[in-house]
Amino acid sequence: MLKSNRKTLAVIGAGPKGIATAVKAKVLEEFGLPVDQVILIEKHTVAANWSGEFGYTNGEMKLGTSPEKDVVFPMEIDVADKILNERIKQRLMHFTWMSYLVQTNRFSDWVDRGRPAPCHISWTNYLRWVSAQLLPQIFIVSAEVLKIDLNATKDKWELKLVQTDGNADHYTLQADRLMLTGPGQTRMDFLNGQPIPEKTYDLESFWAALKDKTFQSRGRLAIVGAGENAASALLALSQYAPNMRVDIISPKGFISTRAESYYENQMYSQPERNDWDKLQVKDRIDFIERTDLGAFFNSCDEYFE
Ligand SMILES: Cc1cc2nc3c(=O)[nH]c(=O)nc-3n(C[C@H](O)[C@H](O)[C@H](O)COP(=O)(O)OP(=O)(O)OC[C@H]3O[C@@H](n4cnc5c(N)ncnc54)[C@H](O)[C@@H]3O)c2cc1C
């Protein structure tokens, strides 16, 4: 399956990060530039965490960041050849949010509505539209990564996988490089390993219960944590369980979500121009911890689909 003379990059998760990485690898390969063979490993479906099917949202919340920050943003390419740079940028333009709207005949409607933030399900459809164009350069494997390790000679990653597209075969995949994506599982350290008590939700089961309408929408609820997930849950509860009393428990005493300020944004878009590499590691960690939170906004009042 794999071309043996190339390095492989295994990406765990086919969300925005995995897709963004894959698109760039695809385009660089199209132009004959040396690039790793990218393998996306996804246990559910592409953009699972945005679709409303697998937790983290019900799909109806609005994207917090602007959709122009799509999987090819910020398109600052530098391959030291001006003409090649231009051609690569032109090719990357095919995978923008704007291109998706144009190709699916939604562009004028979106503009006429005042370029609203799309809801998560619309963003899911955009990501799936991009992912459908990744072949033949990129492989998408339907499997859950159960364990990661180094091989005996410690020069390759060994991933233990279980197939999720029908038969549950177990197998091992080797890769030269590894990228982890996604938020990881909800941490409940305070349970000290005890099973989750009754009437307690983690993020995935909370959104699933809202979706299935099995969520008890009366009484009093405590949310532990005060980041963007707490904010999103609170927003959804205000709509689906307006009579519920909700207490947010956090040592911070306030809900903190990302601010999308110019300074924060350009640090992501143009890190080299903002001396990112000159910041101390501690300051970089502080910055990332504060700003890799999702921004949260209202739920969708209109649909593209
Ligand atoms: C409610 C909410 C709203 C947000 N809104 C925004 C926003 O508006 N803008 C923004 O920039 N960011 C937002 N974020 C933050 C968002 O999580 C990050 O942007 C993140 O980078 C999303 O991309 P990702 O590909 O890393 O993760 P994800 O989209 O979460 O993808 C991870 C993928 O990995 C798969 N996976 C997980 N474990 C395994 C495994 N063991 N084996 C195989 N596959 C696995 C999952 O199924 C999933 O598809 C939001 C987050 C939340 C929770």
Side-chain angles (χ1 to χ4, degrees), residues 99-139:
S99 185
Y100 163 69
L101 294 181
V102 171
Q103 295 298 338
T104 55
N105 299 323
R106 293 173 168 88
F107 182 59
S108 63
D109 187 59
W110 182 66
V111 172
D112 289 346
R113 285 174 190 272
R115 297 163 55 248
C119 53
H120 290 162
I121 188 67
S122 301
W123 194 242
T124 302
N125 291 334
Y126 160 62
L127 294 169
R128 289 180 180 167
W129 173 83
V130 175
S131 77
Q133 302 174 64
L134 293 175
L135 279 170
Q137 289 86 357
I138 308 296
F139 300 118

Side-chain angles (χ1 to χ4, degrees), residues 13 15-17 42-43 49-50 56 63-65 143 145 182-183 229 258 294:
K17 270 185 203 137
E42 173 55 54
K43 66 175 172 179
N49 287 352
W50 298 81
Y56 299 99
L63 190 68
T65 43
V145 179
N229 281 307
R258 187 170 65 203

Side-chain angles (χ1 to χ4, degrees), residues 80-195:
D81 176 328
K82 200 165 163 260
I83 299 192
L84 193 53
N85 270 346
E86 271 172 28
R87 292 181 59 210
I88 292 173
K89 282 183 193 170
Q90 278 165 7
R91 178 67 180 122
L92 286 173
M93 287 296 289
H94 288 108
F95 302 96
T96 57
W97 164 251
M98 205 77 86
S99 185
Y100 163 69
L101 294 181
V102 171
Q103 295 298 338
T104 55
N105 299 323
R106 293 173 168 88
F107 182 59
S108 63
D109 187 59
W110 182 66
V111 172
D112 289 346
R113 285 174 190 272
R115 297 163 55 248
C119 53
H120 290 162
I121 188 67
S122 301
W123 194 242
T124 302
N125 291 334
Y126 160 62
L127 294 169
R128 289 180 180 167
W129 173 83
V130 175
S131 77
Q133 302 174 64
L134 293 175
L135 279 170
Q137 289 86 357
I138 308 296
F139 300 118
I140 305 186
V141 174
S142 297
E144 177 171 6
V145 179
L146 302 176
K147 194 163 184 274
I148 54 177
D149 233 326
L150 285 170
N151 67 355
T153 46
K154 302 209 182 305
D155 58 351
K156 279 193 192 290
W157 291 100
E158 263 184 2
L159 281 62
K160 301 266 183 287
L161 308 183
V162 57
Q163 252 177 280
T164 51
D165 60 353
N167 52 1
D169 285 351
H170 285 68
Y171 61 103
T172 302
L173 188 143
Q174 283 206 339
D176 299 290
R177 305 184 229 270
L178 181 64
M179 178 188 276
L180 311 179
T181 70
Q185 282 188 314
T186 314
R187 280 174 50 201
M188 296 203 199
D189 301 346
F190 48 85
L191 290 179
N192 293 321
Q194 299 296 311

Side-chain angles (χ1 to χ4, degrees), residues 202-243:
D202 62 10
L203 264 182
E204 291 184 60
S205 57
F206 166 75
W207 287 105
L210 267 197
K211 187 166 187 272
D212 302 346
K213 302 198 182 348
T214 54
F215 184 78
Q216 289 282 343
S217 59
R218 294 191 174 274
R220 192 169 173 181
L221 175 81
I223 298 181
V224 181
E228 88 285 358
N229 281 307
S232 289
L234 199 56
L235 185 67
L237 288 170
S238 71
Q239 293 164 358
Y240 299 104
N243 297 320

